Amino acid sequence: MVILQPSCLCSLLISLMFILMVSVSAVDPYTEALLSLKSELIDHSNSVRDWILPHTAEMNSSSEVIHACSWQGVKCNANSTSVIGIDISAMNLGGVLSGKQFNLFSDLVDFNISHNSFSEKLPIALFNLSNLRSLDISRNNFSGQFPGGISNLKKLVVLDAFSNSFSGPLPRDVSEIESLEVVNFAGSYFDGPIPSEYGSFKNLKFIHLAGNFLSGELPPDLFNLKTVTHMEIGYNVYEGSIPWQIGNMGEIQYLDIADANLSGLIPLQLSNLTKLESLFLFKNKLNGQIPWELSRLGSLKSLDLSDNLLSGYIPESFSELKNLTLLSLMYNNMIGTVPEGIAWLPNLDSLLLWNNFFSGSLPEDLGRYSNLKYLDLSTNNFTGNIPPNICERGVLQRLILFSNLFTGELFPSLANCSSLVRLRLEDNSLTGEISLDFSNLPDLTYVDLSRNKLVGGIPSYIAQASGLQYFNVSNNQELGGMIPKNIWSLPNMQNFSASSCKISGDIPSFENCKYFTVIELKKNDLSGILKESVSNCHALLQMDLSWNNLTGSIPEELAALPVISVLDLSHNMFRGPLPKQFGNSSSLKQFNVSFNDISGNIPQGNTFRVMDGSAFLGNPKLCGSPLRHCQSLMPNELEIGSRRTQKLAWVLIACAVTVLFVTFTIFAIVYLKRSANGEWKMVPFGELPQLTSTDVLRSLNSIESMEMVQSPSGSAACKTVLPTGLTVSIKKIEWETKHMRGMLQYLSKMGDARHKNLTRLLGLCYNRHLVYLLYDSFGNGNLSERIGEKRDWSAKYKIIIGIAKGLCFLHHDCIPAIPHGDLKSCNILFDENMEPRLAEYGLGALFQLKKEGLATTIKEQLQMDIYNFGELILQILTNGRLNIAEAASQNSRRESLVRETLIENDITCSGLLQSEIEQVLEVAFLCIRSTPENKSSMEEILKLLSRLQKQKKHQTLK
């Protein structure tokens, strides 16, 4: 071993210091400034790993050359003597920028730090970059007021500050930059009015201010922007009407002022905008008629005036809009017919007119000359036949015509409409046979033909509908026929409903029915036995076979189904004992076997312990709690004597007096209640047994059966046991007679909503002043109560995907859409399988109906649902530590969230799991930062999450 002498060691240290001094002195100031910037970055992904000093031997002796020119994201001029561009966008960077380095970059032309997580205030030193032409700080978390001084950037062409957390007023001095062509301040929290100075831009082509809290009246000067081609200023809370000066923007091609609280008439001057291609004014309070002058907009492709207060007719002149692809007038008060000329528009692919008062027949040629993909005319008063050429072009995907007065037969042209995905024709007066050739409908997933007058039975070739998930033909009173033998073999079917259809014959053997969740066949003429093969229906939640002629015994396999929740076998001819497994079923909530020929003992167990006897009535050979005791007295045990007879007589008299007194008291109470509040009425939904309002009120008045609880929303609620033994949660709402009709219609829509991730609205009990909402009751608490529990990643993912599925069903499968309106952790309940169930959905819009008589916040609440879902994801990932989405997006870095979640789930170093968590986290931020410019639907969000699920399965298979 060589031991250095002190003199040698000293010489070595001096040499190292000299080399270090030479190295430092050789670093150019631009490189030093960028290294200083790097020191402020939070870069867990190591995105700027090449921002390092080169080796001494590789350093150019020329001090004019900038060493950083070779670094990622750094652009220099031709001879590498000046930095002209910095682009570190989408590098997963964070931190707080001081801006102290920026003064050096006087030649900088482009500066892009978008799609990162920089936070706190925007450094004012940016505005010293006098040669800057493009400044992109979008999709970050900068907060506070936008700093003054941006007018110093005299050469700026593009200013993109989209999707941050700025607050306070919009900066006025930005209007002093004459060179600006793009201004984007959308997706923050700016408030106050739009400065009138924003109408003075000389070269502006694109302006986006949507998705803030801007208020006040729209300044008429704003519409002096004669060079603008794209304007989005909606999703704010303005006052007043649209100024007539809007007609001055002669170059405008895209105009969006949706969801902006605007009122008044649609200005005629809009017809001056002859280059306009897209006009979005939906979700406002615009009234009056649609000006026929809009037909002058020959370039128009998309026209959305939905969700307003418009009245009158569709202008006949709209037949001149030959470029129109979208016409949406839904949710208005419009009347009249659809003009014939609408059918001749060659490019029309979406016609959305639902929830109006349109009437008359549809144009005969509708679908013949245009590539119709989406046609929704539901909830109107249309009559006549469905146009025979509706799918002639072969691209129709959604045909939604429910709740009208259509007559005639299902037309042959629809039978071969291979593009069809959803078909909803329920609640009309259609006749004839179900003439759908399911073998030619590969993409068909949803069919609802209920509440019509169809005949001829369910076609046997329905078994060829491989993609079908939902099929409902209930309440076609003369449909007849038999259940197709292969119906249970449909690979994707979940809901099969054919109640009140006069269907006869046996129920086919339940082979391969593993995905069925709902089977409804009540009020038919079915006979034969219920086969043991029902054991194959592992996913079955609800079965209703009541009011038929079924015989034989109730199979034990039915009682053993793992998730069966609702079972109604009443009014049949079943015989023999009840399977003992029913007594201890953990999933069964509603059960009815009344009016059969069942004998023996009622099984003991938790399921039937609190049930009312009405679930078992009409079975004289059945005994046990809650019916009579099974031990009966023998004749020789009776004592017949005068003393016993006298005692019995006195008992009978006492009982009679008591009964008379109780009856009189009940009649007095009922009379007083009716005189004060009006007669009580009961509306059951779907599987709720035939209860009366008296049953519900009696349960509410019973101290033994009622438990006061706190509803998820914080309002008073109670839990009670109905006479059937079903435990329900009841929410009380006060209303006024003038709002009853609208609220009842809305509640009926809510009552029809059925999904495994929703708490079911089981029924209503109401009078003129009160309504009791009867909901499913679950005993496993809610997400808020259990948010801090230790869960592995798969359990967290299960909760997230379940919430997403329930929300997607409300937004996209319910027509009209039902917003949750108050999505938060306490409104996520857990069922017996710890599956998340959305509670109290739709009540926000319901209270709006109660308040104003009109739901004016549907779209706003749908968007807020998506935001709240993103916040819920963050809460689940962090075990409830982050419960404010803004705090999560501003003060916590995504890398930290991933790291914390990995630690909480005891995941050390797993690339796959870490990737999954990062992807779900990205979905959360996509929801939170979703704005009108970048709107994400729940359908798209669920696809992103489901794609991750498919990846997991693929990895498992590999």
Side-chain angles (χ1 to χ4, degrees):
M1 182 176 70
V2 178
I3 301 176
L4 295 176
Q5 297 297 321
S7 59
C8 295
L9 182 61
C10 184
S11 300
L12 179 60
L13 288 174
I14 291 172
S15 299
L16 288 173
M17 289 176 63
F18 176 77
I19 293 172
L20 183 59
M21 290 172 63
V22 171
S23 299
V24 172
S25 64
V27 177
D28 60 272
Y30 293 100
T31 301
E32 286 184 340
L34 288 172
L35 288 174
S36 172
L37 176 63
K38 179 183 178 180
S39 70
E40 297 178 354
L41 302 179
I42 297 171
D43 182 17
H44 291 297
S45 299
N46 203 16
S47 298
V48 290
R49 53 186 171 274
D50 64 340
W51 285 28
I52 55 175
L53 287 175
H55 295 294
T56 305
E58 299 173 358
M59 294 178 66
N60 196 304
S61 59
S62 174
S63 60
E64 294 181 357
V65 175
I66 300 172
H67 300 292
C69 289
S70 61
W71 293 353
Q72 182 181 3
V74 179
K75 181 180 180 182
C76 295
N77 59 1
N79 55 7
S80 297
T81 58
S82 179
V83 176
I84 60 173
I86 297 175
D87 184 352
I88 52 174
S89 60
M91 289 189 179
N92 202 19
L93 302 172
V96 178
L97 302 181
S98 67
K100 63 184 180 181
Q101 309 88 353
F102 297 152
N103 289 333
L104 184 65
F105 296 94
S106 57
D107 296 325
L108 199 66
V109 175
D110 298 304
F111 186 64
N112 187 349
I113 58 172
S114 64
H115 289 79
N116 284 297
S117 299
F118 295 115
S119 58
E120 297 193 18
K121 293 187 179 298
L122 184 70
I124 194 172
L126 274 174
F127 302 154
N128 294 327
L129 304 176
S130 57
N131 283 303
L132 208 59
R133 292 178 55 82
S134 177
L135 174 59
D136 191 346
I137 58 171
S138 62
R139 298 182 185 276
N140 279 286
N141 303 313
F142 291 114
S143 59
Q145 289 197 15
F146 195 88
I150 194 169
S151 59
N152 294 333
L153 305 180
K154 300 297 184 184
K155 299 180 181 179
L156 197 63
V157 176
V158 174
L159 171 59
D160 193 346
F162 170 73
S163 190
N164 277 279
S165 297
F166 292 115
S167 57
L170 290 168
R172 293 178 181 270
D173 58 342
V174 71
S175 62
E176 299 174 18
I177 307 175
E178 295 187 0
S179 55
L180 266 178
E181 295 181 6
V182 174
V183 170
N184 192 342
F185 286 125
S188 278
Y189 304 99
F190 289 109
D191 55 26
I194 298 176
S196 60
E197 291 90 340
Y198 277 29
S200 63
F201 289 106
K202 303 299 183 184
N203 297 289
L204 199 65
K205 293 181 173 60
F206 180 103
I207 182 168
H208 191 1
L209 308 176
N212 284 289
F213 295 129
L214 300 176
S215 58
E217 295 188 352
L218 290 177
D221 291 346
L222 179 65
F223 304 108
N224 291 328
L225 297 171
K226 294 182 171 28
T227 58
V228 165
T229 61
H230 187 114
M231 174 182 279
E232 294 184 62
I233 56 174
Y235 292 87
N236 285 293
V237 284
Y238 304 120
E239 300 169 5
S241 59
I242 302 174
W244 63 264
Q245 288 87 350
I246 198 168
N248 294 335
M249 295 191 298
E251 296 296 318
I252 192 77
Q253 298 174 20
Y254 187 102
L255 178 59
D256 187 343
I257 323 180
D259 197 0
N261 198 45
L262 295 169
S263 57
L265 303 176
I266 297 175
L268 301 178
Q269 290 78 7
L270 275 172
S271 61
N272 297 338
L273 310 180
T274 55
K275 295 184 179 181
L276 193 62
E277 296 180 0
S278 299
L279 176 59
F280 299 107
L281 298 176
F282 61 82
K283 186 59 181 65
N284 281 291
K285 299 177 182 177
L286 302 174
N287 54 39
Q289 299 188 17
I290 300 174
W292 67 266
E293 289 87 350
L294 293 187
S295 61
R296 296 173 181 166
L297 304 176
S299 301
L300 199 61
K301 295 179 181 178
S302 299
L303 177 61
D304 193 340
L305 304 176
S306 60
D307 205 354
N308 277 288
L309 305 174
L310 298 173
S311 56
Y313 304 89
I314 301 175
E316 294 277 352
S317 59
F318 273 16
S319 60
E320 300 171 19
L321 298 173
K322 301 302 183 183
N323 291 304
L324 201 63
T325 61
L326 164 69
L327 177 59
S328 179
L329 304 175
M330 61 190 185
Y331 254 115
N332 277 290
N333 299 315
M334 300 185 68
I335 60 173
T337 61
V338 178
E340 288 287 336
I342 296 296
W344 303 332
L345 297 175
N347 296 301
L348 189 66
D349 66 26
S350 300
L351 180 60
L352 311 175
L353 305 179
W354 52 273
N355 244 342
N356 278 283
F357 299 95
F358 292 116
S359 58
S361 299
L362 296 179
E364 184 77 6
D365 291 329
L366 191 62
R368 173 176 290 177
Y369 302 113
S370 55
N371 295 320
L372 269 182
K373 293 181 181 178
Y374 308 105
L375 181 64
D376 191 340
L377 311 179
S378 58
T379 319
N380 279 287
N381 298 308
F382 288 114
T383 58
N385 295 334
I386 299 172
N389 303 301
I390 199 84
C391 191
E392 184 167 308
R393 295 294 186 93
V395 294
L396 186 65
Q397 296 180 24
R398 296 195 178 200
L399 180 60
I400 316 293
L401 304 177
F402 67 83
S403 297
N404 278 287
L405 304 171
F406 288 113
T407 55
E409 298 186 1
L410 288 175
F411 33 89
S413 63
L414 191 63
N416 298 312
C417 187
S418 59
S419 57
L420 205 58
V421 176
R422 292 176 69 87
L423 177 64
R424 297 194 60 180
L425 304 178
E426 70 266 27
D427 194 17
N428 281 285
S429 296
L430 298 172
T431 56
E433 298 185 357
I434 301 174
S435 54
L436 295 173
D437 186 353
F438 289 99
S439 63
N440 290 328
L441 303 170
D443 298 323
L444 191 62
T445 62
Y446 192 105
V447 175
D448 195 336
L449 304 174
S450 62
R451 302 196 297 280
N452 279 288
K453 300 177 181 179
L454 301 173
V455 297
I458 301 171
S460 59
Y461 45 82
I462 190 177
Q464 299 171 352
S466 59
L468 199 59
Q469 300 174 14
Y470 181 101
F471 184 77
N472 189 351
V473 290
S474 297
N475 292 291
N476 284 279
Q477 303 290 343
E478 301 298 325
L479 183 65
M482 303 175 69
I483 301 173
K485 290 185 178 180
N486 296 326
I487 188 67
W488 313 125
S489 299
L490 284 169
N492 292 294
M493 183 73 88
Q494 299 175 21
N495 185 305
F496 179 73
S497 299
S499 299
S500 301
C501 288
K502 203 174 282 187
I503 296 174
S504 58
D506 295 350
I507 299 177
S509 181
F510 294 92
E511 304 299 336
N512 302 317
C513 67
K514 58 182 179 179
Y515 294 117
F516 278 76
T517 59
V518 176
I519 298 175
E520 293 177 329
L521 294 167
K522 66 181 178 182
K523 295 185 179 179
N524 282 295
D525 297 322
L526 296 170
S527 56
I529 65 171
L530 184 58
K531 298 177 175 63
E532 292 86 351
S533 55
V534 73
S535 61
N536 293 316
C537 306
H538 298 294
L540 196 62
L541 295 170
Q542 174 184 332
M543 174 179 273
D544 191 343
L545 304 177
S546 61
W547 296 90
N548 280 286
N549 301 308
L550 299 171
T551 60
S553 60
I554 299 174
E556 293 183 358
E557 290 81 359
L558 181 60
L561 290 178
V563 294
I564 187 75
S565 175
V566 177
L567 181 61
D568 194 340
L569 304 176
S570 63
H571 296 274
N572 279 284
M573 293 183 285
F574 287 111
R575 61 180 182 271
L578 284 174
K580 293 182 179 180
Q581 291 94 323
F582 278 132
N584 292 309
S585 172
S586 61
S587 60
L588 200 59
K589 296 293 186 296
Q590 298 178 45
F591 182 76
N592 194 345
V593 291
S594 60
F595 298 98
N596 281 280
D597 190 22
I598 298 172
S599 58
N601 296 349
I602 295 174
Q604 299 301 304
N606 295 330
T607 305
F608 299 144
R609 183 170 296 168
V610 294
M611 273 202 177
D612 189 90
S614 60
F616 307 97
L617 291 177
N619 295 284
K621 301 175 187 176
L622 191 63
C623 61
S625 178
L627 299 181
R628 60 186 175 84
H629 293 296
C630 290
Q631 294 179 349
S632 59
L633 296 173
M634 299 301 294
N636 59 0
E637 292 175 320
L638 299 176
E639 295 181 5
I640 305 174
S642 59
R643 184 177 301 175
R644 184 68 178 270
T645 302
Q646 290 173 359
K647 288 183 178 180
L648 181 60
W650 281 111
V651 169
L652 292 174
I653 292 170
C655 288
V657 171
T658 303
V659 168
L660 287 172
F661 176 77
V662 171
T663 303
F664 174 81
T665 303
I666 291 174
F667 272 108
I669 293 172
V670 170
Y671 176 79
L672 290 173
K673 284 189 174 183
R674 286 187 176 181
S675 62
N677 295 319
E679 185 179 358
W680 287 93
K681 296 182 180 179
M682 183 70 201
V683 179
F685 294 126
E687 63 278 1
L688 189 69
Q690 297 300 313
L691 294 169
T692 65
S693 58
T694 304
D695 294 329
V696 176
L697 295 173
R698 185 177 64 189
S699 299
L700 285 172
N701 289 331
S702 171
I703 298 176
E704 292 80 9
S705 69
M706 188 169 63
E707 175 189 353
M708 293 305 297
V709 296
Q710 194 75 3
S711 78
S713 66
S715 58
C718 70
K719 190 182 292 185
T720 188
V721 181
L722 297 177
T724 59
L726 173 67
T727 301
V728 297
S729 177
I730 295 185
K731 186 175 181 66
K732 182 177 76 172
I733 296 176
E734 297 181 0
W735 60 14
E736 299 177 22
T737 306
K738 63 181 180 180
H739 295 151
M740 270 181 59
R741 183 176 179 182
M743 294 179 74
L744 278 174
Q745 289 177 347
Y746 186 79
L747 286 168
S748 295
K749 296 290 184 183
M750 291 170 56
D752 290 337
R754 289 291 184 269
H755 191 274
K756 72 174 185 177
N757 294 112
L758 299 180
T759 57
R760 295 169 301 176
L761 177 58
L762 302 173
L764 312 172
C765 182
Y766 71 94
N767 65 12
R768 290 181 305 193
H769 302 289
L770 291 175
V771 59
Y772 291 107
L773 309 183
L774 281 64
Y775 287 100
D776 270 326
S777 179
F778 301 105
N780 277 334
N782 61 52
L783 181 59
S784 177
E785 297 168 345
R786 310 186 67 153
I787 193 68
E789 292 182 2
K790 191 80 171 180
R791 292 187 180 90
D792 61 18
W793 169 238
S794 61
K796 289 185 177 183
Y797 179 77
K798 176 185 176 183
I799 296 172
I800 291 170
I801 198 77
I803 297 171
K805 287 179 177 178
L807 207 55
C808 186
F809 177 84
L810 289 173
H811 284 204
H812 298 281
D813 291 309
C814 296
I815 298 180
I818 299 176
H820 188 287
D822 192 22
L823 187 66
K824 53 189 177 184
S825 57
C826 62
N827 279 331
I828 308 298
L829 309 183
F830 291 106
D831 64 14
E832 62 277 359
N833 299 314
M834 292 306 294
E835 189 76 30
R837 302 278 195 118
L838 275 61
E840 304 217 352
Y841 52 87
L843 295 186
L846 183 70
F847 291 140
Q848 188 72 17
L849 277 166
K850 172 185 171 184
K851 180 180 178 183
E852 300 180 5
L854 179 69
T856 60
T857 59
I858 297 295
K859 284 191 178 70
E860 185 178 82
Q861 290 188 20
L862 292 175
Q863 194 69 23
M864 185 54 67
D865 282 351
I866 294 173
Y867 178 94
N868 289 339
F869 177 59
E871 187 172 344
L872 274 178
I873 294 177
L874 292 180
Q875 291 185 44
I876 294 167
L877 288 179
T878 62
N879 288 346
R881 286 203 298 275
L882 287 179
N883 54 16
I884 300 175
E886 290 90 347
S889 61
Q890 292 174 26
N891 300 325
S892 291
R893 298 174 298 279
R894 303 179 197 191
E895 304 86 357
S896 301
L897 289 176
V898 174
R899 188 173 63 254
E900 290 173 14
T901 307
L902 291 173
I903 294 172
E904 288 163 7
N905 292 285
D906 299 323
I907 298 170
T908 53
C909 183
S910 172
L912 176 60
L913 286 178
Q914 180 168 339
S915 174
E916 291 174 4
I917 293 173
E918 288 176 343
Q919 289 180 60
V920 173
L921 189 60
E922 283 300 318
V923 172
F925 278 89
L926 176 66
C927 296
I928 292 170
R929 307 308 301 173
S930 180
T931 66
E933 167 70 15
N934 185 30
K935 293 190 287 281
S936 298
S937 68
M938 274 310 303
E939 201 167 40
E940 295 167 338
I941 290 164
L942 181 57
K943 283 181 181 177
L944 291 174
L945 291 170
S946 300
R947 191 180 303 153
L948 175 60
Q949 199 170 36
K950 291 178 182 177
Q951 291 173 359
K952 289 162 70 77
K953 290 181 180 178
H954 180 67
Q955 290 289 341
T956 303
L957 291 172
K958 288 175 68 178

